[in-house]
Structure formats: C-alpha cells, structure tokens
Amino acid sequence: MSTETIQAPELSKSEQDRLLNIRNIGIMAHIDAGKTTVTERILYITGITHKIGEVHDGAATMDYMEDEKNRGITITSAATQCEWNGNRINIIDTPGHVDFTVEVERSLRVLDGAVAVFDGVAGVEAQSETVWRQADRYGVPRICFINKLDRIGANFDRAFDSILHRLGCNAVRLQVPIGVEKEFSGLVDLIEMKAWKFTEGDGPGVEPMEIPEDMKQLCDDRRAEMIENIVEVDDDMVERFLEGDEFTVAELKDVTRRATLAGHAVPVFCGSALHDKGVHPLMDAVVDYMPSPIDKGQIVGIDPKDEETEVVRHANSDTPFSGLAFKTIADPNGDLTFVRVYSGILKRGDAILNPRTRKKERVGRLMFMHAAERKAVDEVHAGEICAVVGLKNTITGDTVCDDKNPVVLESMTFPEAVISMSIEPKSTGDRDKLGDLLGKLHREDPSFRIVTDEETDETVISGMGELHLEIVTTRIARDYKIPVNVGAPRVAYRQTIMKEVDIEGKQIKQSGGSGQYAVANIKFRPWELEEGADAPKTNTNFIDSTKGGVVPQQYIPAVGKGIEEASKSGGQLGWPFVNIEAELHYGKSHDVDSSELAFNLAAQRAFREAMEGNAVVLEPVMKLNVQVPEDFLGDVIGDLNTRRVNIEEMTMDGQIREVNGTVPIAEMFSYAGTIRGLTQGRGSFSMEPAGYEAVPAYVQEQLIKDRLK
C-alpha cells in the first residue's frame, strides 16, 4: 500500500502550546460506578458549574435527557469542557448500561484518553470488561479511579486486584488510601511520597499531612512495586532500579506518562467523587498522564479515489481540514453532528466534503457543547471537539474533510441488535410521520435498526435490549407526540450451516422467448471466525475457485450477490443466515441464454437447497452477573436453573453471593422484576453480550413450530 503524505508545516510555538494543553478524555465504567458523579465534581471544582448536580436527585448536569433524570442513569454520551491549571479538558461522559454500549464505542473512537471508574465495593463488573475491550480496540490510553471508597464494604486492594486479574492489564497503584470505609480520610501519593488529607468546601480539596506511622512500610513497599512496573519502558531506568538508584519526582512522572501513553501501564487512583475525595489529584493525573493531540501522533486514512493509497494527516491547524462525525442528535432547529477535528480548521460557512456520499455539505453553525447547553463559535481548530448544525447527509462514522484534499478516516463498527418488536402508530394518519422519525432515530443511534416485514407489512424495530427499545418508544410518544402500539419483545435469532455440502444450483428455462440458463456448483460450509472476531456476521464469505472459464467472469459477481440475497432473506423461517462460506468451484453457461439474472437465481436455489435440513438456529447469549444476599441464594439459583443459565462460578463477599455465568437473552425478559421479588428488592444483576450460540435441539424444534404458525 502506498502512502500519500501532506507534509505538516513545523508547528508554531503558539500552536504547539495550544495542542499540548488539550486533553480529550472519556469517563467510562459499569452502570452505577459513579461516572457522572465524577464528571459533576470535575465541573464544580473547575468552576463550570456553581452547584453540584446529584444523579440520584435527577439534577446532574450531564444527564440532561428526561429519561436520564427519571431513571438516574446515563443513556446518551454528553460532551463538556473545562479548564484545569491552564489546560483545556474536553470530557465525554458515557453510559454504563449495556443497552447503550454503542455510545461508548463511538466516543472512544475519537477520544485520546479515558478515565475508567470502578466501584470500590464491586471492583470490575460486567460492563467494565466491555468498555475496557472497546478502549483496547481503539488503542486508548487509560487511568483508573477506584471510586466510592467511603462506602461500607469498600476495599481498595480488592478492587485493584480485580482490575489486575479480570482485565489482564498492568495496573499500577500511584496512590494508597488512608483509612477504610467511613474512615477514608486521605491518600498517600507514591510518586512524591507525600500524604494528603481531604478537606471540605471550596479550595484545593486536599491539604498536606504526615504519612501515618503505621503506613510507612506499606507505602515503601507499594512505591517499590510501582517503580518496578513503570520503568520497564526505559532500559536505562531499569538498570538504575536494579542497582538501587533513587529517582526524582520529575523522572517518575515522565516515565509514568510514557508507560501510560504506550499502553504498558495503567495508573490507578483512589477517592470518592460524591464527597469530593480524590477528584483534585485525579484532575492533576489527567493533565500529567493523559495524551494531548500531539501525543497521539499522525492520523492515517485512505484516499477515497484509491483505497490502496494511505493518506496521512497531522494534528496541526495549518494543514488541510479533516474530521470524523461520531454522533448525531435529531433537533427541531437542525440536527447536531458531533465532529472531532483531527487536522486543519473548521469554520462557520465552510463547504466540506463527505467522501462517502461524494457530496459537499455546508457548515451552518459551530458550537462547543456543555451537556444540553451550546456556545456558538466561528471556528474550531485541530484537536478540538464541536457540534455542527447544517450537515444533512452526514451520519455517524462519516469522515468530513477539505474537498481539495480528500481523505477517509477509520470509521467504527456497531454490534448486532439482539431484541426486536413490532411498532405501529395508533392513528393511520401518523404512519408517514412515524416512518420519518424512525429514520432520524436511526441516524442518532446506529444500533437502533428498522426493517419492514415483507410478509406482514409490519414495521419492526431492533435494539440492544429491552431498556433500549423502551427508551426509544417512550421518546416517540412523549417527545414527538406520536402515540404508538408496540408488540412483545422478540429475540433476534440467526441461522447457520452445520456441515459442508456441495450443491448444484440450476436455473434453466428454454421454452418460448428469451431463455435462462445457468448452472452453479457451490460448496457451502461453516465460516470459521478468527479468534476474538465479533459474531455473528450478517453476510457470507464468497470464494470463486472456478478454472478454465466454466463460468464466464462477468457472471461470477451475480453468483455472490445471489448467495448474499438468499442468506439475508432467511429462508422459510426468515432469520438471516450468518457465518457461511460459499465456494463456487464449477458451473456451466450458454452462449445465448446465460445472464447475470440466471446465475443469481441459480445461486439462490443452491443456497436454499443447501440449508434445507442442514441449518441450526443461533440465539444471542449474554454474560450474566447476579449479586444476591446469602439468605435468598437458593431461590435465585432455582429460578436461574429454569432459564437455561450456565453457572460458571459463585463467589462470596461478606453476606453477598455473586453468581457468574451465561444465559440466552430470550430467557431474561422482565428479569429485573423477578429478582426484586425473589430478594425483597436487595438483589441486582447485570449482563453484557457474549456472542451467539446454537440453541438446544428441543428449543429449536419449538421455535420452528412457533415461527411457522
């Protein structure tokens, strides 16, 4: 692959200083770990807000949607900005509920660093692992904040160990808490070897104190452990460490920053955001250890006119403009498109190119966002994040760029929907209005899908879970004033092939008029996914291995297209086929009667015959974590056993039992109400996608009977 590089002019001193003082970070975690509370404290201590918004009161600045206020959870990622010690911090607060994981996905794609928040009692939870893997996928450097350490049952070391072992990262403690639970009153900074006592009210949040006598040995041990883990990125420092040399604070901060940016180490900090404990040192850590746009290095895309040519851009306002649209919000006054500017300057009134549509779009207005509030600006520079009004055909994942210097940046992938339900307006007069609105909502949220069932002509919406679709339908009725009827939730089943078969598909019609003649010999077999690949795929892998021109070259794409169309139609049951490899290895044609249509139809016939009696139904499976008081464990386990749960382990922490395993999502509808009833409201559970698995034979038999009714 060739590379076309537009040389970046040398950074001016002012531009270099500006970029070095920018941090684009996300706050990510499992639901209820305290992400939004951390963000609220940051906004308060940086002077952006003058009142601390509490999540549990529905008053959090970052949870501005009606459903977020009512439910006390984050549903959509919200952007804001603040200043800290002369540095500009752009923050995106992301959701923690598995149903809204797409919001984390698209935020991490454009962020330079992330703060992972963990509950000091629970440690790593199900969604913690999901968002961690998402950050791994985009190579996002992280620091960790173990939150809620003043709660009963909180344990810093236990939470740290869960990060170390469940996430498989090189977690490194840079702080040690002073006191536990209600006595959590300060921390020891292991780099500076200073102790800090938490203070109340306005001010720095901490004041110096002596390291407690009974903690000095522990802190010495923890500091040695910290240094050993972070100096591994520097051979000279490793040698000095082995020789027993001392390091300066500046040297330790520098090597910690390098280790963090390289992904070698993940610094871990402690605190309790609700009571403003440890948030000031956390902000210092964001500045000290999170990357600036310059640290992220050059941005590599491809030339839209030649996909074999790489195009390089640099974080510099004096280069051609390029940016990535990572979020859209439907708005009566004009849809908002969130854009990360990677290079150049985006100005109000500019005409910019969307390489996907090959059309220019006009920038109407530019704004910096503070949750739901907007601040109009005339231009946005490299390294910044903004909202644009006026882009009519740009969707999530699209690149926008200078039309004279086009580039396509890496987009993002979105998970397959796992739950579906039918939807229709209560009034037939609202049918067109509902159709337009569903299209807008899909633009906002790519994990929300809409299809029309060809047999019943009903509209079917799909999403990541019950809560996801419940939020969507609530917004349709409440915010857009379109009353709707919805069907019961349905699982997004898929089908695949069990074993290899070799089928000869024929389309022969040679009586009267122009004929059709095509013979396609195709081997169908399971398509083995690479380890770690997302499953299932929604298409087939087509291979042409014909020799000697038995199938003319111009008809081969039609064979692949016919297989793809047949796989998506789902055959008799209507569930799409996935993970199937199809190899065209022989065929026949006719000089006069062969055509693309004939080979397309022959391939479809071959596919249907191959799947007949050789298909297995796949169902979405979730990782399940249930936390329940010991007194109710028997009843909960008994109920789980009726839901086809595969229990993998059970652990105990005090009086709380934790059950981990996997479960088909079809068995978990309305489980929230069930576990509340079984545990007098004291049990909780969480789930995250774990892929697709074949359903048991007896379940498949019943599914087919119900489907064919």
Side-chain angles (χ1 to χ4, degrees), residues 215-496:
M215 290 185 63
K216 286 184 177 179
Q217 185 59 53
L218 172 67
C219 291
D220 287 340
D221 294 343
R222 291 281 187 261
R223 189 170 195 265
E225 176 189 282
M226 174 196 75
I227 294 173
E228 182 178 3
N229 280 307
I230 61 174
V231 299
E232 290 175 354
V233 294
D234 188 308
D235 291 341
D236 290 338
M237 293 186 77
V238 170
E239 192 171 328
R240 288 176 57 194
F241 173 75
L242 295 175
E243 292 173 355
D245 282 3
E246 287 296 318
F247 297 101
T248 66
V249 169
E251 285 178 319
L252 289 176
K253 285 192 173 183
D254 175 68
V255 74
T256 301
R257 179 179 180 80
R258 286 187 282 134
T260 305
L261 299 189
H264 170 74
V266 181
V268 180
F269 302 88
C270 61
S272 175
L274 183 63
H275 300 111
D276 194 17
K277 295 179 177 180
V279 180
H280 292 72
L282 177 66
M283 288 300 290
D284 291 337
V286 166
V287 172
D288 289 341
Y289 308 123
M290 289 284 90
S292 71
I294 290 179
D295 294 315
K296 292 296 286 185
Q298 64 186 24
I299 304 96
V300 179
I302 60 170
D303 186 337
K305 298 175 184 175
D306 178 9
E307 294 185 359
E308 294 299 312
T309 300
E310 286 186 343
V311 179
V312 174
R313 292 288 182 268
H314 303 270
N316 190 334
S317 296
D318 296 324
T319 57
F321 163 69
S322 66
L324 188 75
F326 66 95
K327 179 180 174 69
T328 58
I329 297 178
D331 191 283
N333 300 315
D335 290 356
L336 288 177
T337 305
F338 285 73
V339 174
R340 162 69 189 265
V341 178
Y342 282 100
S343 64
I345 301 175
L346 181 61
K347 298 180 180 179
R348 183 165 58 88
D350 277 354
I352 56 177
L353 176 70
N354 182 330
R356 179 184 62 83
T357 63
R358 300 182 182 180
K359 293 180 180 178
K360 290 184 182 179
E361 298 237 46
R362 180 71 63 180
V363 176
R365 285 177 287 155
L366 288 171
M367 291 168 291
F368 287 140
M369 301 296 293
H370 173 48
E373 298 175 15
R374 308 168 185 182
K375 176 187 176 184
V377 293
D378 291 327
E379 59 184 35
V380 180
H381 291 247
E384 297 179 337
I385 294 172
C386 67
V388 184
V389 177
L391 306 185
K392 301 184 184 302
N393 299 302
T394 296
I395 61 175
T396 298
D398 280 355
T399 298
V400 284
C401 58
D402 177 68
D403 66 318
K404 294 183 177 62
N405 297 280
V407 62
V408 176
L409 304 177
E410 179 191 358
S411 186
M412 54 199 83
T413 57
F414 300 110
E416 279 290 301
V418 296
I419 294 290
S420 302
M421 62 171 59
S422 61
I423 186 171
E424 63 178 9
K426 290 185 176 180
S427 168
T428 55
D430 286 335
R431 185 170 295 275
D432 290 342
K433 199 192 316 186
L434 177 62
D436 291 342
L437 175 58
L438 292 176
K440 281 187 176 182
L441 294 176
H442 172 65
R443 284 190 65 203
E444 274 194 18
D445 179 1
S447 67
F448 172 67
R449 317 283 168 83
I450 313 105
V451 297
T452 300
D453 189 309
E454 294 181 0
E455 292 184 6
T456 63
D457 199 35
E458 68 179 356
T459 300
V460 177
I461 58 175
S462 303
M464 298 305 298
E466 284 184 280
L467 180 60
H468 186 191
L469 294 185
E470 182 184 333
I471 296 291
V472 169
T473 53
T474 298
R475 287 184 63 196
I476 290 171
R478 183 193 63 219
D479 299 344
Y480 297 96
K481 306 297 188 289
I482 304 176
V484 292
N485 294 318
V486 295
R490 298 181 295 197
V491 176
Y493 291 105
R494 298 289 184 263
Q495 301 178 81
T496 194

Side-chain angles (χ1 to χ4, degrees), residues 501-508 516-524 540 542-543 551 555-569 577 580-588 595-612:
V501 291
D502 192 345
I503 304 293
E504 183 176 76
K506 297 180 179 179
Q507 176 65 19
I508 300 175
Q516 293 180 354
Y517 186 92
V519 177
N521 294 75
I522 306 170
K523 291 178 181 177
F524 297 93
T540 53
F542 175 61
I543 300 171
V551 176
Y555 300 141
I556 288 174
V559 175
K561 189 175 180 182
I563 292 168
E564 186 72 16
E565 290 171 356
S567 70
K568 287 181 177 178
S569 72
F577 285 89
I580 294 174
E581 192 164 72
E583 179 186 359
L584 174 66
H585 64 92
Y586 187 71
K588 297 176 184 177
S595 64
E596 290 184 5
L597 175 61
F599 275 95
N600 180 294
L601 295 173
Q604 291 198 43
R605 285 178 179 233
F607 186 92
R608 288 194 294 269
E609 185 178 338
M611 299 308 124
E612 202 169 304

Side-chain angles (χ1 to χ4, degrees), residues 5-49:
T5 304
I6 293 183
Q7 294 296 332
E10 189 174 342
L11 282 169
S12 66
K13 181 68 166 61
S14 60
E15 177 72 354
Q16 184 177 37
D17 289 345
R18 185 187 69 82
L19 288 166
L20 286 174
N21 290 332
I22 291 176
R23 301 291 182 272
N24 293 310
I25 65 166
I27 312 291
M28 65 181 202
H30 183 89
I31 190 170
D32 285 340
K35 300 173 308 302
T36 301
T37 303
V38 169
T39 309
E40 294 293 326
R41 289 301 177 276
I42 290 172
L43 295 180
Y44 180 73
I45 67 175
T46 56
I48 298 298
T49 57

